[in-house]
Structures are given as C-alpha cells and as structure tokens.
Amino acid sequence: MSFWTPEGSKGVSCAVDGKYLILKFSLKGDFGASSSGKTECVAGCNSPLGKTGLKINLNCWRKLGSKIPKDDVLESLKQPDGMENIKANLSDGTISLKIDTTEEGKEAASGKNILLATTRCPRKLGDTGCTMNINVYHAPGAEIDMSKVQALDFGTNITPSVSEDKSTLTMIVDTDSKPTKSNKTYMLASTQGSKKIGDGVHTATINIFCKEKEIDIPVVPTPMDVNEKSRGFQYTHDGKKLKIIVELNGNPVTSSSGLSLVVASSTGQIADTNVTLSGSVYKKNPDSKEAAKSAAEKDKTKSKRSTVPTYSVVKKAVAKAMDTLDEDSLTRGAIRKHVAKKNGWDNDAELKKLVSKAITSLEEDEPPSDNDEEGEVKRRKNE
C-alpha cells in the first residue's frame, strides 16, 4: 500500500487498499494559527482525490497555544462518535481513517453533492484536545474510479510514485512508446515543466530524449547511476519499462538562487544508452524568505550601481541647477536634492560626494580638465 500527499494538503496522506480509501495524519501536527487566531491547524486537506471523482474536505484543529497531546493520551483514543462510513484507528500518534468507497452515500443537505463519508459536524477526538471535521463526497451521478487515485498531471509518459515512508521517488517510463519529434530531438518522456511529485514537499522537472528515432537501452536489472555527472538519479530497465529512482532523503544542495534545495540532478546521456536524462528533483528551502530577501537586496544593489551617474554628468546637472535655482536655494543640500529628483538618482552618499566636488569646481570657475576624466575612470574601476 503506497501513500501519497494530495497537492495543497497539510499533513494528510492517502492510500487505496482494495475498496477502501485510507486517510492518515499525525495528531501532533502544527501548521500554524487559523485566520481567526483562536485555533491552530493540526492537519487539513481540501482537494480532489486524483481523478477518481471524489473530493476530500478534512480539517483537524486544537485551541491555539494548547499542548500537543502526549503518547499515552493518544493511544487511549477510541472510535469517535458520529462517524458515517469512517473507521478510525490510532497508532504512534497517527490517526488512520478507513472509508468504504463502494458505499452508496447520502445526499448532502444542500442537494449539490453525495456524501460518501462524513462526520456531519466537528467531532472531538477523545481527550487529545483535537477536533476533526471531514467530508468525502462526489457530484450526483459521478462515476467513481479508484484506479485513478494517483492520476497526477505529470506530463507525458511518466508515472510517479512515492514510497510509503516518503523516502523514494520512482518514475516509470514506457520505452515501447514511440518518441515524439521535437525540433532536432525525439522526446520519450517529459514532465512538461515543474510538477509536484505527490508527497507534498518535492517538485520534479524531467526530460528524457534522444537524437535518434530508435531507442537503445539495454536491460539493467539492478539500480545503477544514470551517469558520472548525475547526482541522486539511478535507473533500471526490464526491456519495456525504464524505472528512474531518486532517494529523497539524500544530502540536498542549495540552488544558485537560494530558493530551493536540490535533492537530485542529472544531465547528459544515461550510461550505455543513446538516451539523455535531463532534470532535477528539489524542494523549497526553509530559509527561502531570507534567501529571497538577500537576492532582492543583491539585485537592488546591482541595479543601483549600474545607474550611478558619472562625475561629468553630475557636474553638468549641478551647473544647470545653479543657473535655475534661486539664490536662496543655492545650498549644497538643496542642489543635491534638486538634481537627484530631476534625474531620478538616489540621494545617497555617492551622489553627495559627486555633487560636492562639482559645486567646488564650478565655484572656483575651473574648466573640466583631463585629471577629472582620469579620476572618473579610476573611480569607475574601483566600483
């Protein structure tokens, strides 16, 4: 039984066991305060269940600031009252909800949906301090197909799955499939951009292609590295299916932008084949806010430096300002403020230095000299 995390959910994992839908989450979860500021989120999920036709609306919360329940309290939890087509079980602080997907369901009070499973209203979970509300529903007349439970939009000819402990990503590519010509290459499989892998954490960007129309991949029964340049990517091939394997708990590398942590990356041909695997698997950097702020500051500084006016330009602007402004306004500060506003320059220490130099030169009625230009060249080199 393989669990995955629906996109956008908070701590909720799903799996299918025969006719049963299994939902599970930890009662020790903490996803921050609610908008009201009175409670904090323990777990939540409000999304379609793949392409099965079912939708999940699950919320679990506790009072803001209350203590996370201890293990002995959690283990004493019994089947909560008011559950319709839901069997609850608790183990190691994680609650599992078992739902029979073959049940006929009941019409919701609004008449717009059919409730397959529901608590009808918020239900307290024993002495844990947690409260849960859940509805699993579908549109009237909808055909429920649980085989499409993990039907993620993952591009072309790639089927992803994540192990139950969320440590391994496996991507299956059908090598019997005919490659599609794309410019000068033949595309065998592609995520067609960045796609969530289904664990609620990682994102993948994968392109598998070759320069020839015929795919040549030998049988590789045991996992081996994609190539010497790849990091974290392994593969096997049984003659029909190419299996790409990524260990998600490896040592990630911070991306150049600092916004993400790269778990695996690959470029170049897969060893002993004519097929190229280009892509990466990454997750959000928990320090990304600081990284984004740092990157923004760097961009701002870079932009600022690129627009610093030269001395000769400043001197011309100052001369014009001295001719334009009233005598009462001919203070160095007023002149600097005027030229900064007029030309869109930052009224900073650098401009202050240039304006001061220009005013001194103009007051002494000295014509521009070669030394000015030489000094300007030196100043720009020092920057």
Side-chain angles (χ1 to χ4, degrees):
M1 186 167 53
S2 177
F3 281 86
W4 83 102
T5 302
E7 188 170 352
S9 75
K10 298 176 181 179
V12 180
S13 297
C14 307
V16 173
D17 185 10
K19 67 177 183 177
Y20 294 103
L21 168 66
I22 312 295
L23 306 176
K24 72 175 185 178
F25 58 90
S26 172
L27 291 178
K28 296 182 179 182
D30 182 1
F31 291 90
S34 64
S35 57
S36 68
K38 296 180 180 179
T39 62
E40 57 189 13
C41 178
V42 175
C45 180
N46 187 7
S47 66
L49 186 62
K51 296 182 179 180
T52 61
L54 291 176
K55 294 182 179 180
I56 302 173
N57 187 319
L58 184 156
N59 290 290
C60 183
W61 65 91
R62 58 176 167 260
K63 286 185 178 180
L64 187 65
S66 60
K67 294 182 179 179
I68 293 176
K70 295 181 180 180
D71 291 339
D72 58 342
V73 175
L74 291 174
E75 294 306 327
S76 66
L77 178 65
K78 298 179 180 179
Q79 173 77 12
D81 294 330
M83 300 282 197
E84 297 184 18
N85 191 23
I86 303 173
K87 289 185 178 180
N89 181 54
L90 197 78
S91 177
D92 297 327
T94 297
I95 188 168
S96 296
L97 307 173
K98 193 173 184 180
I99 298 167
D100 187 347
T101 61
T102 61
E103 288 284 327
E104 189 172 333
K106 299 178 182 179
E107 187 177 283
S110 65
K112 295 180 179 179
N113 294 300
I114 303 298
L115 293 172
L116 179 65
T118 181
T119 55
R120 291 289 176 182
C121 64
R123 302 287 179 179
K124 290 186 178 181
L125 299 179
D127 297 325
T128 65
C130 299
T131 301
M132 181 183 70
N133 186 48
I134 178 173
N135 291 299
V136 178
Y137 60 97
H138 60 81
E143 184 177 341
I144 306 304
D145 186 354
M146 297 307 292
S147 67
K148 296 180 179 179
V149 72
Q150 289 194 63
L152 298 174
D153 178 14
F154 208 71
T156 304
N157 196 23
I158 301 183
T159 303
S161 64
V162 180
S163 61
E164 184 173 347
D165 61 2
K166 298 184 179 181
S167 66
T168 306
L169 165 66
T170 302
M171 294 173 282
I172 304 297
V173 176
D174 183 3
T175 52
D176 277 346
S177 177
K178 292 183 179 180
T180 304
K181 191 169 184 179
S182 175
N183 296 325
K184 296 181 180 180
T185 61
Y186 290 88
M187 187 65 68
L188 177 62
S190 174
T191 56
Q192 298 176 345
S194 299
K195 298 293 173 66
K196 301 285 186 181
I197 69 172
D199 68 343
V201 177
H202 294 85
T203 301
T205 302
I206 305 292
N207 289 296
I208 302 175
F209 57 92
C210 62
K211 294 183 179 180
E212 304 167 23
K213 192 173 183 180
E214 297 297 325
I215 301 296
D216 182 14
I217 306 178
V219 172
V220 179
T222 57
M224 64 180 293
D225 292 341
V226 166
N227 56 45
E228 293 181 354
K229 295 181 180 179
S230 72
R231 187 179 65 83
F233 277 98
Q234 290 190 315
Y235 80 102
T236 63
H237 187 234
D238 63 4
K240 293 184 178 181
K241 303 289 184 183
L242 175 66
K243 183 185 291 186
I244 308 296
I245 306 162
V246 177
E247 294 298 327
L248 299 175
N249 293 334
N251 295 322
V253 176
T254 304
S255 65
S256 57
S257 67
L259 301 178
S260 58
L261 300 175
V262 181
V263 175
S265 60
S266 176
T267 183
Q269 284 189 327
I270 299 176
D272 302 322
T273 75
N274 66 345
V275 175
T276 295
L277 169 59
S278 175
S280 62
V281 177
Y282 55 93
K283 60 183 178 180
K284 184 178 180 181
N285 186 347
D287 300 323
S288 58
K289 287 184 179 180
E290 287 74 12
K293 184 177 179 181
S294 176
E297 288 295 330
K298 287 181 180 179
D299 289 342
K300 184 178 179 181
T301 302
K302 184 177 179 182
S303 175
K304 189 175 179 180
R305 286 176 178 171
S306 67
T307 58
V308 170
T310 63
Y311 170 68
S312 58
V313 171
V314 171
K315 189 171 182 179
K316 289 178 182 179
V318 169
K320 190 174 180 179
M322 292 173 72
D323 291 337
T324 304
L325 295 173
D326 297 332
E327 285 190 21
D328 294 340
S329 302
L330 287 178
T331 63
R332 295 198 172 208
I335 293 172
R336 186 174 74 249
K337 185 177 180 180
H338 175 83
V339 298
K341 184 177 180 181
K342 191 77 173 176
N343 296 279
W345 298 332
D346 288 325
N347 192 357
D348 57 9
E350 181 68 19
L351 184 65
K352 181 179 180 180
K353 182 173 68 174
L354 294 174
V355 168
S356 180
K357 181 180 177 182
I359 292 173
T360 300
S361 175
L362 290 165
E363 286 178 341
E364 293 175 354
D365 198 23
E366 291 180 358
S369 66
D370 292 339
N371 290 335
D372 285 335
E373 292 300 322
E374 289 176 6
E376 177 62 19
V377 171
K378 290 180 181 179
R379 186 182 70 80
R380 291 174 66 83
K381 282 183 178 180
N382 289 334
E383 290 178 352

